[in-house]
Each structure stands twice: as structure tokens, then as C-alpha cells.
Amino acid sequence: MAYKRTELSPEDIDRQLALCERIRAMHGGRQPLAMVDTYGCQQNEADSERIRGYLSKIGCGFTSDETKADIVVINTCAIREHAEMRVLGNVGQLTHTKAKNPDQIIAVCGCMVQQEHMAEKLKKSYPIVDLVFGPHELWRFPELLLTQMTKKQRVFAVDDASGTVYEGIPHARDSKVKAWLSIMYGCNNFCSYCVVPYVRGRERSRRPEEILAEAQQLIAEGYKEITLLGQNVNSYGKDLDQPMDFADLIRAINDIPGEFVIRFMTSHPKDATEKLFQTMAECKKCAHQLHLPVQSGNDRVLKAMNRHYDRAKYLEEVALARRYMPDLVLTTDIIVGFPGETPEEFEDTLSLVEAVRYDSMFTFIFSPRKDTPAASMPDPYTRQEKQVWFDRLLEAANRISAEKHQEYEGKTLRVLVDGLSDGKHGNLSARTDGGRLVHLTGNETLVGQFIDVEITGSNTWALIGRVL
Ligand code: SAH
Ligand code: SF4
Ligand code: F3S
């Protein structure tokens, strides 16, 4: 679809907020309860905070118990078949809660429903679902909900669109310490295995002045960690009237007074620049943390994936980033068993992992996504064969993570205490500058503070620290 950048006007969102007031008045004084269940990535978590923001304006309280909820919103993911199966299973379970409470409103939104076949499936096989809307329609959730409530009929808002940019939707954020900040929406890359560009539309950037205003607001409210979100943050700003690049955006946020840390994800290796690494190194508030998904270590597979870089370029990039930031924490995503990937090609991924030594890795077995090019490529290896490769990769990933974590032991580090935890290693959770998880024991008033800790132990997934 040809893409023209469209910005919604402030009046469009104001109208939605006015509709929230109308819905609030319909409750007649009783506070309804809502439950929002989120699947998928940080983009979806940020979207769920917007949905909860609207629900708060409607006057809802929140519950995590679906049997008590008047409104259930399931925000779905389509990235792999497993994600969709989980969603459909959980939607199916709601048959029981709806049988007990026939007035319960069940809404399903997010990436999964933006696929025509999935919207159809919900329409035909899940009659308990009252409202279905894709990511492009989220901004008008109040209007859709009001239509469903007043007309008492099912509403499906899943038209294909390349997407809009909107400002001013209220957020009900999960944390008081860390905040997601979407800087752009959509994706233009069409990696051959990936559904995201089809369900989230084309890349579009928010204006820098809006992003800076939101960052300033967050810092004024006491947030200490801001994570900039986009499917490929490195192409931020290309579609603006006055183009601005991602490194300049980091610098502008870094210049906002206050003690806070800037993180971001995700960075596509084809677009990562020396300027970005230099800016990360120079900006004191920018974490030395880079999520740089490699997907595969083999050039033929990378080409078939439509990734636009090869192994050599990726390795050069990692070396360059580490030259600027010797303490860089590097993480990645890898797909095992891309169609036609041979055992020898998989060995290239394994050897790349051993060469780079990631701090942590997210590993996935290829899952064919309807209508993506990879779904129709010949795929001769069985699931069982792929599982063997996957297990070997996971063993390497876990071993390297544990070794890297061990190197922290005995060191003193500044961490941000970001929440409570109920694990056996302490009652507080914290993050190092590079984003590694630290378990601590200490006073709950430390939440939201940067403190020094001594690392006393570690495992594959986390560090264990002692408050100094
Ligand atoms: N925009 C990000 C990734 C978003 S999806 C990026 O480009 O890196 C997160 C991860 O899911 C991807 O990096 C990829 O490793 C994995 N993934 C995406 N589609 C997949 C599929 N069809 N099968 C298996 N894994 C997939
Ligand atoms: Fe998917 Fe590739 Fe876009 Fe990431 S960059 S969201 S993997 S198409
Ligand atoms: Fe899933 Fe959509 Fe994110 S498909 S990974 S929730 S962009």
C-alpha cells in the first residue's frame, strides 16, 4: 500500500476523550472493573497502557481476575503460531466467565486480529467476543466501545491501513519508575519471515517536540528509566518534514536535566551507525546497552531473510560498538530453522554466537506466518531436527550468559531499583546501567533510586547484589 504520513489532529483524540465521559455517565455511579491482558512485545505493552488510560477516563477500576471484570481486553500478538494459540486458548476460556456474567464485554485487539483470517476466525468461532480492533484503530477505542454498548452488537474494526501518528492518548503506566516511550510506529523492513509490517503498517515517526515533551513530563513525574520504542529505532525521523536522526534524538533527551537512564529497542543492524555508537558513548544518561538482533550467522540465510547485512558487516558493527563502549551489554534475537537452513548453516549461527558472546539472547524456532514470503519457501527439515539445533543454541546462550554474569561478581555497580520482587534472592529488583537484572534485599523505599551495590553472586538470568 502506498504510504502517506497521516497525523491525527488533537481534536480527533479530544473527541474520544469526550466519549469516555459519556461512557462514564452510563455507569450510573457504579465503578466497572476492567482487565487488560497483554501478549507480545513492548509495543503492545505500551498500547495496553494507552487502552488502560482510556479505561481510566471511562471510570474503570482494574482487576486481574477475569471473573470479576465487566470489560476484558485481550491485546494480542501474531509473531509466532505459539503466541496465537495461547491467545485463542485464553479467549476460549472466557466462555465460562461470560456464561456467569452475560453482560461482560470481551474485546480482542492487537496484531493478531489485524490479520484478516484471524478476524474471520473470531467472528465465526468465538461468538463471545463483542469487540475486535486492530492496532490502527486503537486511538478510537472509546468510540468502538460506545458503539458496542449502545447498539448491543458485535463491532469489528480491522480495516487494513498503513497507519497514523497520534498524540494525546492518556497512559495508565504500569510502573512509577520505568516508562515506555514510543518514538515511532510500524515497520518498513519486510524481513521475509515477519508479520509485523503487515499488521502494524509502515514506519512513521512522532515529531521530536512531542517526544521531548513526553520525556520531560515523565522526568517531572519522577520516572527514572525511559525506554524508547520502535521496531527499528535507527530509521527514526526519516519520514518527518524536517528529518532528524535517532542519535540526535538521544542527545536531545540526554540534555533534559535530571537523573534518569535512556534505553531503546530495537536497532536493526543494517541501519546502526558509528554516529549512534559515538552518541551512546558520549551521552551520560544513555545506557551502554544494545539489542542488535542478528537472526542468523549465515550469509545465505540472512539474504533469504531479507536482512540487508551479512555476517562480516554485523561482526564489524559489534566490534565498532564495543570500541566506543567497552562495557557494552549486547543482546540479540535468533531464529533457528529458517526454511531451507542446513545443519552447516546453523553451525555458522552457533560460531557467531561463540564469537560475539552475547549477554543474553532470545531464541526462536521459525514459525511460518501466513502470507509472508518465508511461509511458502521449501522447509525440508523437521521440527525434531530443528529442536536439536535449538537446544544446542540455548545451551551456548545460557553458558555464555552465566559466564558473563560471573564476571560481575565482586564488583560495585550503580543500579536503579525498579520494583519489588518475590524471588528467593531478595525483595527488590534492580537493573544495572547495561540493563542486567539484579536481585537485592533492602528497604522498599529504595524503589525508584539509583544506588551502589556489590555483586555477591549470579546465575544464568540475573545477578545477586548487596546494598552498600
Ligand atoms: N523489530 C525487531 C523484532 C521484532 S519481532 C527486529 O527487527 O529485530 C522479535 C523477534 O521475533 C525477531 O527479532 C525474530 O527473531 C523473532 N521472529 C519474528 N518473526 C518470527 C517467525 N516467523 N518465527 C520465529 N521467530 C520470529
Ligand atoms: Fe519484523 Fe524485520 Fe520489521 Fe523487525 S525489522 S519488525 S523482524 S520486519
Ligand atoms: Fe507481537 Fe505485534 Fe509486537 S506481532 S511482537 S505484539 S508488534
Side-chain angles (χ1 to χ4, degrees):
M1 182 185 304
Y3 167 57
K4 193 177 148 296
R5 184 194 156 81
T6 359
E7 288 185 25
L8 294 177
S9 72
E11 292 74 39
D12 288 322
I13 302 299
D14 286 348
R15 222 181 97 245
Q16 297 301 318
L17 294 173
L19 294 177
C20 289
E21 290 303 321
R22 269 186 55 196
I23 302 174
R24 183 194 276 264
M26 288 164 67
H27 302 320
R30 193 185 78 85
Q31 188 186 43
L33 287 177
M35 181 183 115
V36 181
D37 197 9
T38 312
Y39 298 79
C41 66
Q42 293 79 5
Q43 264 82 6
N44 253 20
E45 301 211 3
D47 280 349
S48 284
E49 293 184 342
R50 293 184 256 271
I51 292 167
R52 275 199 290 269
Y54 272 142
L55 288 166
S56 296
K57 292 275 173 202
I58 286 165
C60 289
F62 292 98
T63 174
S64 51
D65 179 352
E66 64 269 24
T67 62
K68 296 207 172 73
D70 300 282
I71 304 177
V72 177
V73 182
I74 303 196
N75 190 7
T76 65
C77 171
I79 202 81
R80 284 170 290 275
E81 191 184 9
H82 177 71
E84 295 188 328
M85 287 308 165
R86 267 179 65 214
V87 165
L88 291 177
N90 289 351
V91 174
Q93 288 296 318
L94 293 172
T95 311
H96 307 296
T97 61
K98 188 132 177 169
K100 289 204 187 93
N101 175 10
D103 290 333
Q104 185 174 57
I105 296 173
I106 297 175
V108 185
C109 63
C111 296
M112 185 184 93
V113 308
Q114 191 63 53
Q115 308 167 100
E116 214 176 315
H117 68 286
M118 278 297 174
E120 275 306 306
K121 193 180 186 102
L122 288 170
K123 200 176 260 176
K124 288 212 184 86
S125 313
Y126 294 80
I128 55 159
V129 174
D130 303 291
L131 171 57
V132 172
F133 59 99
H136 301 309
E137 311 278 355
L138 185 152
W139 66 274
R140 60 189 196 101
F141 169 54
E143 176 188 336
L144 300 169
L145 182 63
L146 184 64
T147 308
Q148 194 283 327
M149 289 170 76
T150 49
K151 299 206 171 139
K152 299 272 179 230
Q153 67 186 31
R154 305 178 83 194
V155 173
F156 280 73
V158 289
D159 285 349
D160 189 21
S162 48
T164 50
V165 179
Y166 46 75
E167 298 297 341
I169 298 184
H171 287 73
R173 296 187 193 270
D174 284 339
S175 159
K176 295 258 170 277
V177 180
K178 34 186 191 174
W180 307 121
L181 203 176
S182 305
I183 63 166
M184 58 202 297
Y185 309 103
C187 183
N188 284 356
N189 293 309
F190 290 94
C191 302
S192 61
Y193 50 81
C194 184
V195 75
V196 172
Y198 303 90
V199 294
R200 289 249 168 197
R202 294 297 69 69
E203 240 167 51
R204 51 220 189 265
S205 307
R206 290 177 67 197
R207 290 176 185 277
E209 57 275 21
E210 300 285 357
I211 296 169
L212 287 172
E214 186 172 340
Q216 267 157 350
Q217 175 73 26
L218 290 167
I219 293 155
E221 287 172 16
Y223 284 91
K224 298 286 188 257
E225 177 185 294
I226 295 180
T227 303
L228 309 176
L229 294 183
Q231 292 296 349
N232 176 13
V233 291
N234 297 332
S235 59
Y236 171 77
K238 289 185 180 153
D239 57 325
L240 296 169
D241 318 333
Q242 291 179 313
M244 176 187 204
D245 73 16
F246 180 56
D248 292 334
L249 182 70
I250 291 186
R251 202 174 282 279
I253 299 175
N254 184 71
D255 286 343
I256 301 174
E259 191 181 27
F260 60 94
V261 54
I262 307 166
R263 307 188 192 281
F264 59 85
M265 65 191 320
T266 296
S267 223
H268 195 307
K270 82 180 163 62
D271 299 315
T273 59
E274 180 163 7
K275 180 178 172 188
L276 172 67
F277 303 148
Q278 187 173 357
T279 305
M280 289 172 72
E282 287 172 5
C283 290
K284 290 226 155 30
K285 296 170 195 167
C286 187
H288 290 183
Q289 173 188 13
L290 191 62
H291 184 59
L292 199 64
V294 67
Q295 313 298 0
S296 162
N298 175 271
D299 287 347
R300 190 202 65 81
V301 175
L302 285 170
K303 203 166 170 68
M305 288 177 163
N306 195 29
R307 290 290 287 181
H308 296 282
Y309 55 85
D310 59 16
R311 180 187 175 103
K313 175 172 168 8
Y314 184 90
L315 289 173
E316 266 167 39
E317 222 164 75
V318 167
L320 186 63
R322 284 179 166 158
R323 214 151 40 240
Y324 279 100
M325 295 168 283
D327 60 346
L328 183 71
V329 167
L330 188 67
T331 58
T332 202
D333 294 343
I334 290 181
I335 297 177
V336 171
F338 184 80
E341 183 180 35
T342 65
E344 294 72 36
E345 288 168 339
F346 167 73
E347 294 300 329
D348 287 343
T349 298
L350 207 53
S351 73
L352 180 134
V353 163
E354 296 288 356
V356 173
R357 292 180 61 80
Y358 294 99
D359 292 83
S360 82
M361 293 168 37
F362 301 89
T363 49
F364 311 102
I365 292 185
F366 169 75
S367 169
R369 304 286 65 210
K370 196 170 182 315
D371 299 334
T372 61
S376 52
M377 293 178 187
D379 193 2
Y381 291 90
T382 63
R383 172 82 197 195
Q384 285 74 9
E385 284 164 316
K386 294 180 182 186
Q387 188 67 47
V388 173
W389 306 347
F390 181 86
D391 292 345
R392 284 182 62 204
L393 186 64
L394 195 62
E395 183 282 319
N398 288 345
R399 171 174 39 81
I400 296 168
S401 284
E403 286 167 6
K404 290 221 140 194
H405 283 165
Q406 218 166 26
E407 291 166 15
Y408 286 85
E409 290 183 21
K411 290 192 177 150
T412 296
L413 300 174
R414 185 186 84 142
V415 299
L416 171 62
V417 184
D418 59 6
L420 301 177
S421 114
D422 48 14
K424 63 175 183 200
H425 297 298
N427 61 329
L428 300 176
S429 77
R431 293 272 166 185
T432 66
D433 182 56
R436 306 316 297 144
L437 174 64
V438 186
H439 297 296
L440 293 174
T441 304
N443 198 309
E444 292 185 6
T445 55
L446 292 175
V447 173
Q449 293 187 33
F450 288 95
I451 59 169
D452 285 334
V453 299
E454 185 195 342
I455 302 303
T456 55
S458 69
N459 57 36
T460 306
W461 299 277
L463 308 173
I464 298 150
R466 186 170 67 84
V467 180
L468 292 178

